[in-house]
Amino acid sequence: MSKRKYLLIAVMTLSTLCYTYPYLSSTFYTQFMEAFELSNAQVGNLIAMFGLTAVPGYLFGGLLADRFSPKKLVIISQLLTAVIGLCICFLHGYTILLICYLALGVSTTFIHWSAFLKLIRAQGTEKDEGKIFGFFEACSSAVSIICSYGILGILGNLPSFRIVQAIYAVILIIVAVIIAIFVKDSDVRCVSSDSFKVSMAGKALRHPVTWINGFIVMGLFMALSCSTYLNPMLSENYGMDTTLATGYSIYNRYVARVLLATAGGLLLDRLKTPKFLTIFAVGMIVALGALIAVPMDHSFMIFAFILCVLFSTIIGTSRSGMYTPIPEAKMPMNITGTAMGICSAIGYSSDLWLYTLCGNWLDKYGSAGYNYIWILTIGAMILVIFCSFLLHIYEKKYVTE
């Protein structure tokens, strides 16, 4: 691959900042809740509204990317997300927030995701896809880390966290202009989106690994979603400074991912998916069990923080095995894209209910609600272990080396 191809991928990856918007309420949990004067349950309901439109987007976004110019769709997604962000910043009322989060699912997942992946795949051949997506993952995480820590650094000088929404909106408008100018039509060759196809849905749904992989994604994504609450727990229960707790939250969502993805991939190649996921799921159960046992007192803050970092490190490493069951099980190539779309829809569907449930627990039980969240996460890891066992049985029976 040429240097220009790598540069194009880096430029186009700037557009993934649009996914930061719906999860600002998770990364900057305390600041977001205070700025918009919301309860824990209300914050959770916002992500549920996002999920209502985002989950179908994983299935049907590919149809849009095959019908219209992927470059134009990416630009539209940036501009539309920026407009929604400005509405969140300047318009008041919880109903407005709910509508905006519903619209974010359309502007990001539905319009952007499949079109963006099509642009990225266009920069190389099938032999280059490992390099392409590895470089994209690194760029995406780096962009999120720089912006998130940058916002954290200036947060104390802003009159309200609402202004952060406007800052991201301006950045997305600039990104849209850069892509419009820098990415040429000649840089985008005709490539299949390799996404959900209605004609293949029946075959993909009947394949057992589609469901096994879907519930593995759900378990791991639930763990990542529940880890959102480590930030407010450290602040409320252990007296950690809010800025430091938010800094940890950024590590949890972005830094661990970019630092540990390579290590996770190397381990995955040696252990294979069932063993790899089982080991890391057990590790998360042990870390959470220890966290539940730690007394909620300022004197135990350091110990609790170490357990949180350990948990985030395990999550960051385990993400490498999120989508490997389908290729490892040697699923027929003609249904792979459709199966991946179904897996994403199953896995990320927890957005529809998880944040609302956790928010209700915190509003109802206070500090004790965090233990309910960690028990739910342990349940998610048991689901991953069970599905890994089923995958092992399937591979042993049907997959030949």
Side-chain angles (χ1 to χ4, degrees), residues 143-162:
V143 168
S144 298
I145 290 166
I146 292 168
C147 285
S148 296
Y149 278 121
I151 293 296
L152 183 62
I154 65 171
L155 203 53
N157 299 317
L158 298 178
S160 169
F161 185 77
R162 283 178 174 271

Side-chain angles (χ1 to χ4, degrees), residues 334-373:
N334 65 332
I335 64 170
T336 295
T338 302
M340 287 286 194
I342 294 170
C343 283
S344 297
I346 294 170
Y348 299 137
S349 65
S350 60
D351 269 352
L352 295 170
W353 56 269
L354 186 141
Y355 287 95
T356 300
L357 176 64
C358 293
N360 281 324
W361 280 340
L362 293 177
D363 288 337
K364 185 175 181 179
Y365 301 110
S367 294
Y370 289 111
N371 286 340
Y372 287 96
I373 296 172

Side-chain angles (χ1 to χ4, degrees), residues 16-25 27-28 144 147-148 168 254:
T16 59
L17 273 174
C18 65
Y19 295 101
T20 304
Y21 253 116
Y23 293 105
L24 282 174
S25 59
T27 307
F28 296 90
S144 298
C147 285
S148 296
Y168 270 104
Y254 303 116

Side-chain angles (χ1 to χ4, degrees), residues 390-400:
L390 294 179
L391 180 63
H392 170 71
I393 293 174
Y394 178 89
E395 290 182 354
K396 193 173 181 180
K397 188 173 182 180
Y398 296 106
V399 180
T400 56

Side-chain angles (χ1 to χ4, degrees), residues 169-198:
V170 172
I171 292 172
L172 290 182
I173 292 170
I174 294 170
V175 168
V177 173
I178 291 172
I179 291 174
I181 295 173
F182 191 80
V183 179
K184 309 297 182 185
D185 291 334
S186 58
D187 293 320
V188 185
R189 61 184 174 83
C190 184
V191 177
S192 169
S193 64
D194 192 29
S195 57
F196 182 88
K197 292 181 174 60
V198 176

